[in-house]
Amino acid sequence: MELATAAEAQVIVERQGGAGIIRLNRPKAINSLTLPMVRLLFQALARFEDDLDVSCVVLTGEGERGLCAGGDVRIIHDLGKAGDPQVLDFWREEFPLNYRIARFSKPYVALMDGIVMGGGVGISAHGSHRIVTERTKLAMPETGIGYFPDVGGSWLLPKAPGECGTWLGLTGNAVAGADAIYAGFADYLVPSDGLEALVGDLSRATDIEGLEAAITAYAVDAGKGVLAVNRDIIDATFRFDTVEEIFAALSARDDPFSRETLEALQKRSPTSLKLTLKLLRLGRESASLIECLEREFAAGTEILRGHDFYEGVRAALVDKDRNPHWRPLLLEEVREEDLSPYFAAHSGNLFPDHRL
């Protein structure tokens, strides 16, 4: 029942008892998503949803480094720089995949072991049963490459307690499994050495009660992470609707967490910070995941016409000098009218059969 049989298949699809197993298989790239992988994931979900002998789907990543480091933005960078009209194809198919996962009719168990970032969050955090481990490093790091949290990030992040989602989205900082659970991106923490046995038990579960009993048998107390410990500071400093006010609130404090947070924000693209905050505030008022995905797609289309995304990817992944030169360089140089093109239109692009 494998969908791809080549030795170098980027996605391995198989059955194990009553579980449909999907293994991302680009370990050298920390399983970063490509367009063929997105299409294979779609095909696998369709096959497993129609198979009456499959009671759940389990998503995992090959290799020791993580589930998925996100979409392969180097490919998008190269296509965009070349003016290739296919540059939008990845997001045009990735975002509906995120929605497909969110609406999947069977339990969708994501094993979020190791690195889970960007697009990796999109194929895991929208699932019904999200499992992290002691090795999990979760982040939406897009403001550091001149982009913004997408894959439904503007739907997920505002649902985190208080302003934790605002902190996660603006800083792009990685957090541990306890924080992922606290922020609503995951449900259980299972020690990494128990994952293989857990999958075996999931393959024998015949209903939702059995599946959840299997998970809770391996789950342990996640403890308190950075977000819970610093919740009061986060809420006090990130409650504002302008990035300038957030910077001012952090600058007025004299504690290590505030200083480290401000230092992180000062390295991010000023345009991305303002765009991200606006997307998060709009997401807070949005009625559906589709509405947020459509808005993100429109913003991503406009991003490709600008400077910071290409400069951010260059500094992080091409030249790897970690020294991006943002334009504009200063926060105050990014005006409200500069953000208008990102929100010019966002309906009907991805989900023409749905009303927003």
Side-chain angles (χ1 to χ4, degrees), residues 39-51:
R39 290 171 175 168
L40 285 167
L41 284 166
F42 249 117
Q43 294 171 26
L45 291 179
R47 179 78 65 89
F48 289 144
E49 193 160 42
D50 292 339
D51 190 335

Side-chain angles (χ1 to χ4, degrees), residues 64 86 96 117 119 137 166 168 218 224 226 232 254 316 323 345:
E64 297 296 320
Q86 296 182 359
M117 296 184 179
K137 293 182 179 179
T166 312
L168 285 166
Y218 289 90
K224 294 183 72 173
V226 170
D232 289 345
D254 187 23
N323 185 33

Side-chain angles (χ1 to χ4, degrees), residues 314-335:
R314 178 206 65 75
L317 300 175
V318 181
D319 298 334
K320 300 182 181 179
D321 59 25
R322 303 289 175 180
N323 185 33
H325 299 282
W326 307 122
R327 292 205 311 248
L329 179 61
L330 302 177
L331 200 60
E332 57 268 25
E333 294 176 341
V334 183
R335 302 164 300 174

Side-chain angles (χ1 to χ4, degrees), residues 4-271:
T5 58
E8 295 298 321
Q10 295 179 330
V11 177
I12 300 170
V13 181
E14 57 194 9
R15 273 276 305 281
Q16 183 174 331
I21 311 295
I22 302 175
R23 304 182 187 276
L24 305 182
N25 190 34
R26 290 186 74 205
K28 291 182 179 179
I30 321 180
N31 301 313
S32 295
L33 297 173
T34 63
L35 184 55
M37 292 172 74
V38 168
R39 290 171 175 168
L40 285 167
L41 284 166
F42 249 117
Q43 294 171 26
L45 291 179
R47 179 78 65 89
F48 289 144
E49 193 160 42
D50 292 339
D51 190 335
L52 297 180
D53 293 325
V54 171
S55 58
C56 70
V57 167
V58 179
L59 175 74
T60 186
E62 295 293 280
E64 297 296 320
R65 299 173 68 189
L67 171 66
C68 177
D72 197 328
V73 295
R74 175 66 185 269
I75 295 175
I76 297 173
H77 167 279
D78 293 348
L79 290 174
K81 290 282 282 188
D84 192 316
Q86 296 182 359
V87 66
L88 291 172
D89 289 353
F90 178 75
W91 293 330
R92 190 175 281 117
E93 298 192 39
E94 181 193 27
F95 290 7
L97 173 64
N98 303 142
Y99 181 70
R100 182 85 165 84
I101 291 168
R103 297 291 299 273
F104 197 63
S105 63
K106 297 179 180 181
Y108 180 99
V109 183
L111 304 184
M112 303 165 70
D113 188 31
I115 291 173
V116 184
M117 296 184 179
V121 173
I123 58 171
S124 57
H126 291 295
S128 61
H129 297 74
R130 295 86 47 92
I131 297 172
V132 291
T133 75
E134 79 284 354
R135 305 190 302 192
T136 297
K137 293 182 179 179
L138 181 141
M140 299 295 283
E142 290 84 356
T143 58
I145 60 166
Y147 191 53
F148 60 87
D150 62 352
V151 297
S154 63
W155 173 254
L156 294 169
L157 288 165
K159 290 176 169 47
E163 297 296 338
C164 290
T166 312
W167 183 90
L168 285 166
L170 292 183
T171 66
N173 287 351
V175 295
D179 299 295
I181 294 173
Y182 186 78
F185 283 73
D187 306 295
Y188 309 92
L189 191 147
V190 171
S192 57
D193 60 7
L195 292 180
E196 185 176 351
L198 170 60
V199 173
D201 286 358
L202 293 175
S203 71
R204 292 184 285 274
T206 58
D207 54 28
I208 188 66
E209 289 80 12
L211 178 140
E212 293 183 345
I215 295 174
T216 54
Y218 289 90
V220 299
D221 183 6
K224 294 183 72 173
V226 170
L227 297 178
V229 170
N230 295 284
R231 171 72 184 279
D232 289 345
I233 297 175
I234 291 171
D235 287 355
T237 55
F238 281 79
R239 60 188 175 87
F240 304 99
D241 292 331
T242 70
V243 181
E244 287 89 345
E245 289 175 294
I246 292 172
F247 271 52
L250 289 167
S251 298
R253 298 185 60 91
D254 187 23
D255 59 86
F257 182 80
S258 296
R259 289 194 296 270
E260 291 166 9
T261 296
L262 182 60
E263 182 178 348
L265 291 174
Q266 289 169 336
K267 297 176 182 178
R268 310 307 184 223
S269 159
T271 300

Side-chain angles (χ1 to χ4, degrees), residues 252-328:
R253 298 185 60 91
D254 187 23
D255 59 86
F257 182 80
S258 296
R259 289 194 296 270
E260 291 166 9
T261 296
L262 182 60
E263 182 178 348
L265 291 174
Q266 289 169 336
K267 297 176 182 178
R268 310 307 184 223
S269 159
T271 300
S272 291
L273 290 176
K274 289 199 171 185
L275 174 59
T276 296
L277 184 60
K278 188 164 185 175
L279 285 167
L280 295 182
R281 294 301 185 249
L282 289 169
R284 182 175 287 172
E285 305 301 323
S286 294
S288 69
L289 171 59
I290 284 181
E291 183 178 345
C292 291
L293 288 168
E294 291 277 21
R295 190 182 294 120
E296 291 167 10
F297 182 72
T301 302
E302 185 63 26
I303 280 276
L304 295 177
R305 299 189 179 103
H307 165 271
D308 278 9
F309 172 71
Y310 299 106
E311 174 61 12
V313 175
R314 178 206 65 75
L317 300 175
V318 181
D319 298 334
K320 300 182 181 179
D321 59 25
R322 303 289 175 180
N323 185 33
H325 299 282
W326 307 122
R327 292 205 311 248

